[in-house]
Each structure stands twice: as structure tokens, then as C-alpha cells.
Amino acid sequence: MGVKNLWDVLESCKKTLPLHHLQNKRVCVDLSCWMVPLQNVNKSHCPMTSKLYLTALFHRIRALIALNCSLIFVTDGSIPAIKLATYRRRLNLGTDIENQATRDGANAQKLSSLRRNMGSEFSCMIKEAKYLGSAFGIPCLDGIEEAEAQCALLNLESLCDGCFSSDSDIFLFGARTVYRDICLGEGGHVVCYEMNDIEQKIGFGRSSLISLALLLGSDYSQGVRGLGLESACQIVKSVGDNHILRKIVSEELSFARKKKNPKRHGQVMCNNMTTTLCSEVNMNGDIQIPQTDNQYFHVVEAFMNPKCHSADSDVVHRSLVQRPFQREKLQQICARFFEWPPEKTDEYLLPKIAERDLRRFAHLRSTSSQLDVNFPLQEVPVKCPVSAIIKRRTVHGRECFEVTWEEFYGVKSSVVSADLVESACPEKIKDFDDRRALEKKNQRKSRLKKSGKECSVAEIDRKLQDLLLDIELESKSSSMASREIISDKMTTTEINFMNRDPPVLLDSEGNADSRAVILCRETGATVPKHEVIDLLSPSPLVHSRNVSRRAQMNNQHISIIDLSDSETEKSPEHARKARELRLFLASIGDDFH
């Protein structure tokens, strides 16, 4: 609980900071203040056997580990004697709660602290949380009495950078930086209160806050009945932070009273309650002050000097020592409570452990740079966790890198912010950019080479087409020349047809073909080149001799034109023409047999 309505007083000092604010910090955690809301969520959504509260704690821890935020769990010890009245009132013990609370308050200095029930359901939850934290390497400091008082002492002595607590009385114990709430996931943040802001914006120091606890009520006092929040603040401001505690101890709040007639004197409206401020010592009034026997002194003493482990004690020193992460133990815990296989636990945790070590490496290089000690990446005593950068990524609008880790982390790759890689190992980014530039250059060369090949092939095709065209033209011209030579030879060749009429090759229409070859008789008679012979007319009489046909053929002499392939016979057209001519001559030869 803390001090009644104190968070409302401090509302103007509240700051919402990104979760990244906790990077490389050491923070004390009032473990009860973490487990109570998680317990309420568990009860409202599922039975306690599901361990939802422990799963939420697991993810909260791994998120802070990735930021290299060192945690120290602090637990409550015995219940302070001055708090017994409030403790009984919360548990609804006894029949006359008010009278019992009054008696306990009056005799608080004679009572001793009460040991907590370690067998309760909530105590078992705390044990499980401590057990889980030990596997993560988180130390736990068991407080003598109040956990928030122990956290405040560590923060006041600069042994930690802040405290996680939802009890507002942590400021009264001396805390300087308090984180009230934490939110994970996208847009994760923490709600932070700084004592410096409280002093500057509101004008309240530690003494003033203790005075508000006495006036408004807290775990150690019931407060003044009928006194509103605004009135209490004005009373404290009117006295001042330097003198308010001394005045309270000496005058026991007698300077704050409510007069019977509120219309007289200055009035202040607060929470629908009209009160009057008076600095005179006057016990006659309607405001009841239940605490007597200088009870206020014991309240002030409980806040100013709580029972805690001193900053130089061995217990505190052991809690500040960093412990190793126990992978196998955590796998066993997750298998027992969440029924997770080891692979799932590693998938959740190992990338966060690697990222934590990368932040430590970045912090080491940053500290060395501030001391003007700049080592090249290869000469840094601690090996860089990042093996290489795979590619650039954008996650939730933030520039990131997908990186590969060294083998000893047990995880191949994960995504981390570009700022972290830049601060830890800018040489890796340079290597990645150089490699990408070289790949692009090679791709450009490959494209140009391919384009050059395509151009050369096109050029070769064009040249081949030109060459074929030239061959075809030459073949045609050669064919024409061959035709002229053949025609000349055919006009001069003498063929002995043994007084028979020479045959003439007709075309499909029955006309004499201009390409007909005139075969000459043995006598040497020739036929004009363009002479047309009518095959329908009767052949002239031939005076044959009594010889056999074989003898006639033996005596026959045919001069055949040489149609062997020549050097000019290179085109298909020329070959076709030559083939037709050979067939024609072969057909003529068949007629002679």
C-alpha cells in the first residue's frame, strides 16, 4: 500500500520511458510487488495450477536480460512491529479491529516483529519465483523486514540504479529512482519517478513525504481523520521540509486542527471536506488524534532508520555478484512448470543471452573509448559475440540487422537493432557493406558479360546471314553461268542416234522445253539451239543395216556432258538443278537400252 494517495501527489512527476532506458542498469526488484498483480491475473483467467504468473515472470526476465539489465530480487522478511496493527486490519483478525490497532500502535515500541507464514500460497509463489530467478543467474536478497526498505537503501547507497516497487512508501525509506510499472512487447515502457523531480516540481523532500504519511495515513500510522489531501500538502509546505519532522515530533500534529465554525479563518476545499489551517498549538477541535505517547517519533524512526542489511555487509556484497546463467536447470524448470521441451526454452532464451553479451561487449568498447583506449576488433580481450551480418531488416519501423552468432551460444541467428551493432562492432557493418558492394559489382559485371555475349551472338548471326546471302547470290550467278556453258556444250555435242530422230523433253503442257538437249547423230549433224521438233509428225524413214541392236549400241557413241560437282556447286538451288539434269540424262540413257 504505502502512503495513502501519495501516487496522486506525485502524478506530475511521472515519466513514461522506453524499455530501452533500463539498458546496462542494475535494478532491485521488490519481488512481492511483481508477484501480487501477476497472481491476480492468474486467478482471474485460470487456476493457479497453470502457473500463468510464473510464465509472465519468465518473459519479463528474458526481456530485461536482453537489455543487459541486472536484476536483484529482494523479498520481505518479518513483519515490523509498528505494522502489526495494519497487518491485522488487512486480515480482518479480532472482533474489535480499531481498538486492537490502537493498542498495537501505542505499544509498537514494546512489540517485536512477526515472522511471516512461509507456508501460505503467496509464499510458495515467491519461492517459485526465486527458484526461476536463480536459474537465470539472478541473486536474491532476503530482507530483514520490509523489502522496499532494503531496495531503497541499496539505491540510496548507489549500489543499484533504481528500484521496482509499487509501494509509494519506498520514497520515505530513501529511494531516489523508482519504477512503478513495466510493459513489455511492442512499445514497451516503464513508469518512472525521480526524487529530484519531486523535489523540484512539488517541493517535497524525504521529510515532507514522511509528514504526509503521518497526516494522510500509511502502513505505520492511521493518519488524521478529516484531513484531505490538499490540506495535508498545504500544511507540509507551510512548515517546510527542513522543519516539518521536528515540529511533528515536538508538537505531535497539534498544529493541524479543524475549527468548529469553518466560515471563520481561511478555508481550503479538498475532497468535499472543509478544513482550516492553523499553526497554533491548540488541542481543542474536532480532529481526532488517536495516537498518543509520542507515537509519531516511532513512525519517523521506522522510516528514517529501517531494519535492513547494511550496504557494507557480506549479504549485500554477495547479492551484487553476477551469477552465471544455468541453461540445463532452466530447461528442467520450464519442463516441470510449463511442460516445454528443451528446444522451446532455448528458442525463447538463447537469442536474448547472446544479445545481452553483445550489449556488454558494446558497453566495454564504449568505456574503453572514453578512457582513450581504442583496440581494433581483433585485439579486444573479449571476443565479439557477432560472427557476421546476414542482411538488413526493419522490425516495427526500426532498422535492424539479422546476425549470426558465435557457436558457443547455441543459436545460429537472430535479429538485433542496428544501433546496438553499430555501438558494439561497426567493423562488422563495414565488412557487410563491402561484401554487398562487391556482390553488386559482380552482378553488374555478370549482367554486362551476359549482355556482351548476347551482342556477339547477334553479330555472328548477322554475319552468317550476310555470308549465306552472298553464297546464295554467288550460287545463283554460278548456276546461270553453268547453264550457259551447258547450253553451249549441248549445241556442239555430236550424238549418234543411228538415223533416229532425237528425243525432245516436253513439259507438262506438251510444249517443247527450252532446256531440251539435242543429241547429235554420229554423222556430226547438229540441231540448232532453239529448234523445236514436232513429235506428232511421223519420223522419217531410216535405212538401217542388218546388225543386231547390241551391235548398234556398241557402235553408238554418246558424248555426255560432265555434270560432276564443281566448286561453284554450293547452293541448294544449284544442287537441285544438277540433280534434275542427272535424272533427265538418266532417262534418256534408259531409252537406248
Side-chain angles (χ1 to χ4, degrees):
M1 170 186 163
V3 181
K4 183 180 179 180
N5 297 328
L6 183 57
W7 289 122
D8 296 333
V9 176
L10 306 179
E11 180 66 22
S12 60
C13 301
K14 182 176 71 174
K15 296 185 294 186
T16 301
L17 303 176
L19 200 62
H20 186 75
H21 172 76
L22 297 176
Q23 177 178 253
N24 301 324
K25 293 185 182 297
R26 175 185 288 164
V27 182
C28 294
V29 178
D30 183 353
L31 193 55
S32 297
C33 292
W34 267 15
M35 298 306 296
V36 168
L38 295 180
Q39 179 191 30
N40 295 334
V41 172
N42 200 136
K43 287 182 178 180
S44 60
H45 289 81
C46 54
M48 293 299 293
T49 55
S50 65
K51 307 293 183 182
L52 180 62
Y53 59 92
L54 211 57
T55 306
L57 180 63
F58 173 89
H59 290 293
R60 181 175 293 186
I61 292 174
R62 63 184 281 266
L64 294 177
I65 281 180
L67 296 174
N68 191 31
C69 178
S70 301
L71 300 178
I72 302 175
F73 285 168
V74 181
T75 60
D76 291 310
S78 301
I79 302 172
I82 198 173
K83 192 178 179 179
L84 290 177
T86 303
Y87 182 72
R88 290 193 177 96
R89 184 167 60 249
R90 290 176 181 174
L91 295 179
N92 294 324
L93 298 177
T95 56
D96 193 353
I97 300 173
E98 294 295 332
N99 295 335
Q100 182 66 34
T102 303
R103 288 194 299 270
D104 288 345
N107 301 322
Q109 66 274 17
K110 302 177 183 179
L111 300 176
S112 59
S113 59
L114 178 65
R115 185 176 179 83
R116 297 181 185 273
N117 181 11
M118 303 307 294
S120 64
E121 181 181 288
F122 186 74
S123 297
C124 293
M125 291 176 57
I126 295 295
K127 291 179 181 178
E128 292 174 348
K130 292 169 61 176
Y131 186 50
L132 179 65
S134 64
F136 278 100
I138 300 175
C140 183
L141 177 60
D142 295 323
I144 297 177
E145 291 185 346
E146 299 279 47
E148 61 266 33
Q150 188 67 64
C151 292
L153 176 64
L154 297 179
N155 187 212
L156 184 62
E157 296 291 338
S158 299
L159 297 179
C160 67
D161 300 298
C163 311
F164 270 107
S165 180
S166 57
D167 289 339
S168 58
D169 56 0
I170 191 171
F171 292 103
L172 283 62
F173 289 114
R176 304 298 300 178
T177 301
V178 177
Y179 302 104
R180 184 182 180 187
D181 295 323
I182 180 172
C183 177
L184 304 180
E186 182 180 356
H189 62 272
V190 289
V191 177
C192 178
Y193 295 83
E194 296 278 355
M195 194 62 191
N196 290 335
D197 297 335
I198 297 173
E199 294 171 350
Q200 295 175 5
K201 293 182 179 180
I202 304 178
F204 287 164
R206 184 179 178 184
S207 298
S208 298
L209 297 179
I210 294 175
S211 301
L212 286 177
L214 292 169
L215 295 173
L216 299 174
S218 67
D219 291 342
Y220 295 168
S221 62
Q222 297 184 28
V224 179
R225 292 184 179 180
L227 189 64
L229 178 62
E230 186 175 349
S231 299
C233 292
Q234 290 187 6
I235 291 174
V236 173
K237 286 184 177 180
S238 64
V239 178
D241 186 73
N242 295 330
H243 306 286
I244 185 66
L245 289 182
R246 186 181 302 109
K247 193 174 185 64
I248 288 176
V249 171
S250 61
E251 301 179 10
E252 298 185 355
L253 299 181
S254 59
F255 58 89
R257 71 182 187 87
K258 176 183 177 182
K259 290 190 175 183
K260 294 181 180 181
N261 188 357
K263 295 183 179 180
R264 302 175 184 177
H265 306 289
Q267 297 179 354
V268 179
M269 298 298 297
C270 179
N271 295 334
N272 297 325
M273 184 72 67
T274 303
T275 58
T276 303
L277 303 182
C278 179
S279 59
E280 297 179 356
V281 179
N282 190 347
M283 298 301 298
N284 297 325
D286 295 334
I287 297 180
Q288 298 181 10
I289 305 177
Q291 296 172 328
T292 58
D293 193 18
N294 203 5
Q295 175 67 22
Y296 308 106
F297 173 78
H298 300 289
V299 174
V300 173
E301 184 68 16
F303 283 124
M304 296 298 294
N305 298 301
K307 292 182 179 180
C308 301
H309 297 290
S310 61
D312 56 352
S313 64
D314 294 337
V315 177
V316 172
H317 288 169
R318 285 195 299 270
S319 66
L320 299 178
V321 176
Q322 181 178 335
R323 289 170 172 75
F325 159 65
Q326 302 178 39
R327 180 179 178 181
E328 294 183 358
K329 181 179 179 180
L330 188 60
Q331 290 176 349
Q332 294 174 359
I333 293 175
C334 293
R336 172 186 171 188
F337 292 140
F338 315 137
E339 298 181 355
W340 290 352
E343 295 78 12
K344 185 174 182 178
T345 304
D346 289 345
E347 181 182 356
Y348 275 130
L349 194 61
L350 294 183
K352 301 300 181 180
I353 298 295
E355 185 176 346
R356 178 198 65 180
D357 289 351
L358 183 60
R359 293 186 188 276
R360 290 178 177 177
F361 186 80
H363 185 64
L364 173 64
R365 299 199 72 182
S366 176
T367 305
S368 300
S369 178
Q370 294 175 1
L371 299 175
D372 294 331
V373 180
N374 298 315
F375 290 106
L377 183 63
Q378 297 78 6
E379 299 181 5
V380 178
V382 180
K383 188 174 183 179
C384 179
V386 173
S387 175
I389 298 176
I390 301 176
K391 60 182 177 180
R392 295 183 183 271
R393 298 279 295 273
T394 301
V395 180
H396 302 313
R398 295 180 58 189
E399 184 180 359
C400 301
F401 285 114
E402 183 177 353
V403 302
T404 57
W405 303 100
E406 294 293 339
E407 295 181 357
F408 53 82
Y409 286 102
V411 58
K412 293 183 179 179
S413 65
S414 64
V415 178
V416 295
S417 65
D419 295 338
L420 175 58
V421 181
E422 175 68 28
S423 61
C425 48
E427 298 86 352
K428 299 289 184 179
I429 299 179
K430 185 177 182 304
D431 293 342
F432 170 74
D433 292 337
D434 293 343
R435 187 171 65 252
R436 290 287 297 169
L438 182 59
E439 290 176 357
K440 290 181 179 179
K441 185 178 179 180
N442 293 335
Q443 292 176 0
R444 192 180 303 111
K445 285 183 177 181
S446 177
R447 287 195 297 267
L448 291 175
K449 187 176 181 180
K450 184 177 180 181
S451 176
K453 287 182 179 179
E454 292 176 354
C455 293
S456 62
V457 171
E459 183 69 19
I460 291 173
D461 289 341
R462 186 183 63 79
K463 290 182 178 181
L464 286 175
Q465 291 176 3
D466 294 343
L467 181 59
L468 291 175
L469 182 60
D470 294 341
I471 292 173
E472 185 177 358
L473 292 176
E474 292 177 1
S475 176
K476 288 182 178 181
S477 60
S478 300
S479 178
M480 294 298 293
S482 299
R483 289 181 182 179
E484 293 179 357
I485 295 172
I486 293 172
S487 178
D488 294 340
K489 289 183 178 180
M490 289 175 66
T491 56
T492 58
T493 304
E494 296 179 354
I495 305 177
N496 183 11
F497 286 103
M498 299 175 62
N499 297 327
R500 292 177 57 186
D501 293 331
V504 180
L505 182 64
L506 300 179
D507 58 8
S508 61
E509 297 179 358
N511 299 325
D513 189 357
S514 59
R515 297 177 300 172
V517 179
I518 302 175
L519 302 178
C520 301
R521 299 177 185 272
E522 291 180 355
T523 57
T526 60
V527 179
K529 179 179 180 182
H530 300 289
E531 180 180 357
V532 178
I533 301 174
D534 188 4
L535 297 178
L536 296 177
S537 60
S539 302
L541 296 175
V542 179
H543 302 281
S544 60
R545 291 179 290 183
N546 295 327
V547 292
S548 65
R549 185 175 181 86
R550 180 177 297 276
Q552 292 178 3
M553 294 304 298
N554 291 334
N555 295 330
Q556 181 182 2
H557 174 72
I558 301 176
S559 178
I560 300 176
I561 302 172
D562 185 11
L563 295 177
S564 60
D565 295 338
S566 62
E567 294 180 357
T568 59
E569 196 177 26
K570 295 181 178 180
S571 66
E573 183 69 14
H574 183 272
R576 187 177 64 80
K577 296 295 184 179
R579 188 163 54 253
E580 290 178 355
L581 186 55
R582 291 192 192 97
L583 293 174
F584 170 71
L585 296 178
S587 64
I588 295 175
D590 291 339
D591 291 339
F592 294 156
H593 297 283

